[in-house]
Amino acid sequence: MQNSFDLLIRNATIVDGTKAVRYTADIGINGDRIIKICDLSSSTGKTEIDLKGQVAAPGFIDAHTHDDRLMLSNPEMTPKVSQGVTTIIGGNCGVSLAPMPRPIPDPVTPPLNLLDDEGKWFKFATFKAYLDALRAQPSTTNRAMLVGHTTLRVATMDDLEQPANAAQIAAMRELVVEAMQAGAIGVSTGLFYEPAVAAPTEEVIEICRPLKKYNGLYCTHMRDEADGVIDSLEETFRIGRETDVPVVISHHKVIGAKNYGRSDETLAYIQKNMAKQPICLDCYPYTAGSTVLSYSRAETSSRVIVTWSKPFPQYAGQDLDKIAKQMGVSEKEAVAKLLPAGAIYFRMDEGDVQKILQFAPTMIGSDGLPHDASPHPRLWSTFPRVLGHYRRSLKLFSLETAVHKMTGLTATNFGLTDRGVIKEGAFADLTLFDEATIDEVATYDNPIALAKGIHTVIVNGEVVWAQGKATSARPGRVLSRVLPA
Ligand code: ZN
Ligand code: CU
């Protein structure tokens, strides 16, 4: 029996990520792996943490992020590790930092400007060059990266308002092959957004053809999450069927007052199709979304908060109607003046959000936008909000289920081997927290704030967050997708 460890966690209430009922034990870690889970009262650790009954869970996996640049510009990743996230899935919504084999347009084509509105980070000609940069300058969290279809379009097409022609499709497909060989886990699309909306379903299918060979998956911000949501689900499923790869429906929601309540219909439709093909989905725990500012989105929202504006940075954090009044113009004119800009849009129903969160296959993803001056609070508080507000206060699910939705389920869906679970032999990615106090602190009015109740966060056996701040450890790795044998 081994009795000395690099890191020994005593008196943990283990919620192991599989939905299994919690149990009490000690955890012995050597190097980057969990070695022993049992009574280790006669063992010692070079570092010891006595949890006194607090929870040890697998590190949270953020199923949906836009952290492509954050990992390089702010490798401590405070918005993520401070809420217990140890792995992020990046490159979502069609938006990835790489590959960009030619100069990015100035101004940066929206929504690529969500990552960097100056364009200087779009400097990686190949996906491999980008992943190499991540490896050369590791961040606190692990990451698994998608290649974005909108990025591929900007990289290969001069007229983005057309469907890609055969030569452009071939060029994009080659970039997908390069990315997959370098270690990408799949392709994402943002068919809802202007430059990608011109892409017919067939364009996406052709670009995604190489995914099967490289065990990739297809993630999508669907073309329509409002009136046409069922058609968009069907489009997503068709892309999955024709390319024979799993699909991930990103941030599933139903938008617009007249669609409130339709999650009953969408979830039933998703469930029915899950019997025929692999389908996954994620969700953020809020009734407001956030992306680039547009009048058509503002018009259909009950409230709009501006999150950033290049010409008018002073208006970040203020409501659009108040900004328009101050400017002495209509809201439509105010939007035109503020661009390029971002916003938070209130246009979902709380009942739908709760049903989608409760749906057994739903994973938790933040969709946080780390470069916004006044970001949506999901950036800092998604995971503690699920565990505090939705689990403890509203009792939508058990702690075991809530943790599963942010760990084991996500690791299985994305093929992240030996992550997302606490078991002997698994990687030591752990989030230690107080079940009674874990909670969101960031709000729409005060969006940048550390969550409550997070004790310690461990990535690959190294403590990255303790006593309310990031340590100097940067153990994050680039993860690839491995299928179960
Ligand atoms: Zn999106
Ligand atoms: Cu997104």
Side-chain angles (χ1 to χ4, degrees):
M1 170 88 173
Q2 180 147 15
N3 50 23
S4 104
F5 295 95
D6 293 336
L7 179 56
L8 177 53
I9 301 168
R10 296 189 190 280
N11 303 309
T13 298
I14 297 178
V15 177
D16 72 0
T18 67
K19 272 197 288 196
V21 176
R22 66 188 80 182
Y23 63 99
T24 305
D26 308 319
I27 304 172
I29 295 163
N30 273 335
D32 61 3
R33 301 272 181 169
I34 297 170
I35 304 297
K36 277 278 168 211
I37 305 173
C38 55
D39 177 353
L40 295 169
S41 45
S42 57
S43 301
T44 56
K46 283 180 210 143
T47 304
E48 295 196 5
I49 297 172
D50 187 351
L51 268 187
K52 300 187 173 107
Q54 289 189 40
V55 173
F60 306 150
I61 302 172
D62 192 341
H64 186 108
T65 82
H66 295 284
D67 293 343
D68 303 43
R69 169 191 146 194
L70 186 73
M71 293 182 280
L72 295 170
S73 62
N74 302 78
E76 72 286 356
M77 303 277 287
T78 306
K80 294 302 160 80
V81 283
S82 65
Q83 54 175 316
V85 170
T86 60
T87 296
I88 64 102
I89 309 294
N92 280 284
C93 296
V95 177
S96 60
L97 211 49
M100 193 51 65
R102 61 179 185 174
I104 185 111
D106 179 19
V108 176
T109 318
L112 300 190
N113 57 359
L114 291 175
L115 294 181
D116 170 23
D117 66 2
E118 285 175 4
K120 62 176 183 175
W121 289 94
F122 287 92
K123 60 182 177 186
F124 303 102
T126 63
F127 211 80
K128 180 175 185 302
Y130 172 62
L131 293 182
D132 284 346
L134 292 178
R135 290 188 189 101
Q137 194 214 62
S139 61
T140 48
T141 62
N142 301 307
R143 52 283 215 232
M145 304 303 296
L146 299 155
V147 56
H149 166 241
T150 300
T151 300
L152 296 175
R153 289 191 120 228
V154 171
T156 53
M157 296 173 69
D158 293 321
D159 180 0
L160 294 168
E161 275 155 44
Q162 304 294 321
N165 63 32
Q168 290 161 336
I169 286 175
M172 284 192 265
R173 199 189 282 162
E174 218 153 282
L175 293 175
V176 169
V177 169
E178 188 277 324
M180 296 306 295
Q181 286 176 340
I185 61 162
V187 167
S188 78
T189 60
L191 298 175
F192 160 80
Y193 289 104
E194 217 88 291
V197 80
T201 313
E202 292 72 22
E203 175 183 319
V204 178
I205 291 170
E206 291 312 315
I207 289 163
C208 288
R209 289 272 180 225
L211 289 181
K212 170 85 178 153
K213 181 172 169 194
Y214 297 100
N215 294 331
L217 39 73
Y218 172 70
C219 302
T220 181
H221 180 156
M222 299 193 302
R223 210 177 281 279
D224 192 340
E225 297 173 307
D227 303 5
V229 63
I230 295 288
D231 287 346
S232 281
L233 286 171
E234 181 44 38
E235 178 184 35
T236 303
F237 302 158
R238 180 187 160 202
I239 293 165
R241 284 194 306 269
E242 295 204 14
T243 56
D244 195 17
V245 300
V247 299
V248 180
I249 302 157
S250 294
H251 45 59
H252 182 48
K253 59 172 97 66
V254 272
I255 288 176
K258 72 173 183 221
N259 296 308
Y260 286 0
R262 288 187 67 196
S263 60
D264 288 335
E265 198 188 327
T266 61
L267 295 177
Y269 192 67
I270 291 168
Q271 180 108 60
K272 186 177 101 188
N273 281 276
M274 278 177 163
K276 303 182 209 159
Q277 66 183 103
I279 298 168
C280 315
L281 74 162
D282 62 74
C283 175
Y284 52 78
Y286 296 89
T287 56
S290 183
T291 185
V292 282
L293 179 63
S294 86
Y295 184 64
S296 62
R297 282 191 277 280
E299 223 183 0
T300 53
S301 302
S302 61
R303 181 186 172 194
V304 178
I305 306 170
V306 171
T307 52
W308 61 279
S309 163
K310 207 166 179 191
F312 292 98
Q314 67 270 32
Y315 287 128
Q318 295 196 36
D319 281 42
L320 178 64
D321 56 355
K322 290 198 189 107
I323 297 171
K325 247 181 228 143
Q326 258 174 276
M327 287 179 159
V329 299
S330 71
E331 287 186 25
K332 191 172 185 175
E333 288 164 325
V335 167
K337 283 176 185 282
L338 289 164
L339 291 176
I344 294 169
Y345 305 94
F346 290 78
R347 46 187 194 152
M348 284 175 249
D349 173 53
E350 177 64 30
D352 285 326
V353 171
Q354 292 186 17
K355 280 181 188 161
I356 294 167
L357 283 173
Q358 263 183 307
F359 184 54
T362 303
M363 306 177 278
I364 307 301
S366 70
D367 203 8
L369 298 172
H371 310 297
D372 290 7
S374 185
H376 188 304
R378 66 193 184 188
L379 175 65
W380 288 83
S381 271
T382 286
F383 293 83
R385 178 171 164 81
V386 170
L387 294 169
H389 180 65
Y390 285 111
R391 138 84 193 127
R392 193 175 54 238
S393 303
L394 300 189
K395 303 188 170 55
L396 281 196
F397 23 55
S398 67
L399 179 64
E400 287 82 350
T401 295
V403 167
H404 176 65
K405 286 171 169 290
M406 39 185 84
T407 59
L409 176 64
T410 320
T412 302
N413 287 344
F414 285 99
L416 308 178
T417 312
D418 290 343
R419 311 254 175 205
V421 288
I422 296 185
K423 64 171 186 197
E424 291 180 359
F427 286 104
D429 290 351
L430 296 165
T431 293
L432 315 180
F433 65 90
D434 181 354
E435 186 196 0
T437 61
I438 190 166
D439 218 339
E440 62 189 319
V441 175
T443 61
Y444 293 108
D445 295 323
N446 181 27
I448 298 178
L450 298 177
K452 281 198 300 194
I454 302 284
H455 184 297
T456 300
V457 182
I458 296 159
V459 174
N460 294 317
E462 296 191 46
V463 173
V464 295
W465 183 264
Q467 270 122 25
K469 51 180 192 296
T471 66
S472 60
R474 301 284 180 269
R477 296 180 191 165
V478 173
L479 306 183
S480 288
R481 182 174 154 74
V482 180
L483 291 185

